[in-house]
Amino acid sequence: MFRKAGMALAAILIMTGSALADPIEGNWKTQSGETASIAGGGSFSITLKTGKYAGKTIGSLRAAGDNKYAGSITDPATDKTYSGKATISGATMKMSGCVLGGLICKSQTWHKL
């Protein structure tokens, strides 16, 4: 009886933990086909897991409202860092990096894996 109760409690805790995770956390398929991992608490780090730049950290974002994030994004090919933002809608995230106070921006759409 105690074993069944313990297993049920463990299952509840596991489900609750994943329900409390921030929607940005997890693995994402980038627009160019690589996989990126986003993890952290308060400040979220973006690290490429696959592709030519695997292992490289390419950004840092903080929550800026409901499913909105702001911070910096680095182009792994040039190592240039831009003002960045992301907005999540379901399993889709639109990210953009901007220069000149938002005058020139590039955007990508990523999908949660």
Side-chain angles (χ1 to χ4, degrees), residues 3 15-16 24 26 36 45 54 61-62 67 70 82-85 94 96 109:
R3 183 177 176 166
M15 288 187 284
T16 303
I24 198 168
S45 178
L61 299 170
R62 290 188 153 285
N67 295 323
Y82 303 94
S83 172
K85 62 182 179 178
K94 183 174 181 181
S96 63
T109 301

Side-chain angles (χ1 to χ4, degrees), residues 10-11 19 26-27 39-40 52 61 63 65 73 78 82 88 93 97 108:
N27 293 320
K52 183 177 180 179
L61 299 170
I73 305 291
T78 63
Y82 303 94
I88 296 175
M93 175 170 53
Q108 286 192 4

Side-chain angles (χ1 to χ4, degrees), residues 20-44:
L20 296 176
D22 199 283
I24 198 168
E25 290 182 297
N27 293 320
W28 295 83
K29 175 78 78 177
T30 68
Q31 190 165 305
S32 57
E34 289 92 6
T35 299
S37 173
I38 301 179
S43 180
F44 300 95

Side-chain angles (χ1 to χ4, degrees), residues 93-111:
M93 175 170 53
K94 183 174 181 181
M95 297 186 69
S96 63
C98 301
V99 294
L100 300 173
L103 188 60
I104 301 171
C105 298
K106 280 191 172 182
S107 296
Q108 286 192 4
T109 301
W110 292 10
H111 300 280

Side-chain angles (χ1 to χ4, degrees), residues 60-85:
S60 178
L61 299 170
R62 290 188 153 285
D66 290 336
N67 295 323
K68 293 182 181 183
Y69 302 84
S72 62
I73 305 291
T74 301
D75 180 344
T78 63
D79 278 331
K80 291 185 179 179
T81 301
Y82 303 94
S83 172
K85 62 182 179 178

